[in-house]
């Protein structure tokens, strides 16, 4: 069965520190992985998708099929990065599966 | 201004009542989805619709019903059979089912009083 695991409910870092939000998935087929972000009082929005291999707001994520991971990274966290982050898995024949989310808190 | 609109933003329901949450999109998307968001639970799929007049159960469909009579609209009814309806409900759409360019609505918070 398909599954997405985000092991941390809360990640707290200081401004300027590196950030890594972990995401592991379980899927035997060819996965499509995404990161979504939800800022306070705003709607859920797409941050990254693995096939685009781009950097958005300084965040990057690399799909590691060997480790079945898609960790989200940023070298220097900003206070405005504080939000809820969801990893999502797509594939053949099913709708998105979301992880339980990680709340990132960036302290001044 | 294209997008997806959910209404109302806040909804209060008495025990034993059915309530309907509205979701409308003007993006010309074929596929629409309803998710339930609970703290610590992430987003769980309730129902989805790949095309007009068709819909499928998601992971937690019990106590919910939907209709898809128009491409633009995908209302969700929370019935009295739903044991724990207090939650935040998110509607989303995508150009096609299996296309993961989801656009999300701003959500409806339902509270049972």
């Amino acid at each position: 069965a398909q599954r997405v695991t985000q092991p941390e409910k809360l990640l707290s870092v200081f401004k300027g520190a590196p950030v890594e939000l972990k995401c592991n998935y379980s899927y035997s087929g060819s996965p499509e992985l995404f990161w979504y972000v939800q800022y306070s009082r705003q709607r859920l929005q797409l941050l990254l998708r693995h096939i685009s291999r781009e950097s958005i707001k300084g965040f990057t994520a690399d799909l590691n099929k060997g480790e079945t991971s898609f960790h989200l990274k940023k070298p220097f966290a900003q206070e405005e990065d504080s939000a809820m982050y969801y990893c999502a898995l797509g594939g053949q024949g099913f709708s998105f599966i979301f992880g339980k989310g990680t709340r990132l808190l960036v302290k001044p | 201004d294209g997008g997806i609109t959910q209404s109302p933003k806040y909804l209060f329901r008495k025990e034993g009542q059915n309530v309907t949450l509205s979701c409308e999109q003007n993006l010309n998307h074929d596929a629409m989805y309803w998710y339930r968001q609970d703290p610590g639970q992430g987003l769980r799929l309730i129902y989805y619709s790949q095309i007009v007049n068709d819909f499928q159960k998601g992971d937690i469909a019990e106590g919910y019903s939907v209709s898809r009579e128009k491409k633009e609209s995908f209302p969700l009814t929370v019935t009295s059979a739903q044991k724990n309806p207090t939650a935040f409900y998110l509607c989303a759409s995508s150009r096609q089912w299996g296309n993961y360019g989801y656009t999300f609505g701003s959500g409806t918070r339902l509270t049972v009083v």
Side-chain angles (χ1 to χ4, degrees):
Chain A
Q2 303 89 5
R3 191 171 61 245
V4 175
T5 304
Q6 292 180 250
E8 303 134 331
K9 279 188 180 177
L10 172 67
L11 184 63
S12 182
V13 301
F14 285 102
K15 178 182 169 182
V19 169
E20 183 178 51
L21 296 160
K22 291 185 167 44
C23 173
N24 288 91
Y25 67 92
S26 173
Y27 177 48
S28 57
S30 184
E32 291 193 53
L33 274 298
F34 301 76
W35 277 99
Y36 277 81
V37 60
Q38 191 172 30
Y39 300 103
S40 180
R41 293 191 177 84
Q42 293 188 27
R43 62 183 69 198
L44 202 63
Q45 55 188 285
L46 177 65
L47 181 63
L48 283 178
R49 57 190 305 173
H50 87 272
I51 60 171
S52 60
R53 302 185 65 83
E54 57 192 342
S55 172
I56 304 291
K57 299 185 180 183
F59 284 97
T60 59
D62 289 315
L63 176 59
N64 185 324
K65 289 188 178 180
E67 295 182 1
T68 60
S69 68
F70 189 57
H71 303 327
L72 183 68
K73 300 177 184 179
K74 185 169 183 176
F76 308 104
Q78 303 298 315
E79 288 181 69
E80 55 265 30
D81 296 328
S82 295
M84 195 74 186
Y85 291 81
Y86 292 96
C87 183
L89 167 69
Q92 187 68 29
F94 59 92
S95 301
F96 254 158
I97 294 171
F98 286 86
K100 293 187 176 182
T102 298
R103 180 167 298 283
L104 175 63
L105 178 61
V106 181
K107 296 179 284 190
Chain B
D1 184 23
I4 184 165
T5 303
Q6 290 187 241
S7 61
K9 210 167 184 152
Y10 301 96
L11 189 55
F12 296 89
R13 189 195 94 170
K14 291 183 180 179
E15 294 273 0
Q17 277 184 338
N18 292 356
V19 288
T20 297
L21 284 59
S22 169
C23 178
E24 305 275 332
Q25 52 98 0
N26 60 5
L27 300 164
N28 201 32
H29 284 175
D30 281 327
M32 297 187 75
Y33 314 82
W34 274 105
Y35 286 89
R36 173 178 168 142
Q37 189 178 23
D38 295 283
Q41 294 289 325
L43 279 74
R44 293 180 289 170
L45 183 65
I46 304 172
Y47 268 97
Y48 65 95
S49 168
Q50 297 183 40
I51 202 161
V52 176
N53 292 321
D54 177 73
F55 49 84
Q56 307 292 333
K57 291 183 179 180
D59 300 318
I60 55 166
E62 187 175 345
Y64 299 98
S65 66
V66 293
S67 63
R68 186 86 189 277
E69 295 174 5
K70 297 187 299 183
K71 188 175 187 176
E72 303 79 23
S73 179
F74 191 42
L76 173 74
T77 297
V78 184
T79 75
S80 55
Q82 169 48 235
K83 296 286 184 273
N84 185 21
T86 295
F88 191 63
Y89 291 88
L90 279 172
C91 180
S93 68
S94 65
R95 189 171 300 148
Q96 296 170 338
W97 186 72
N99 175 315
Y100 296 104
Y102 282 25
T103 300
F104 281 88
S106 55
T108 294
R109 183 164 298 282
L110 172 64
T111 304
V112 173
V113 296

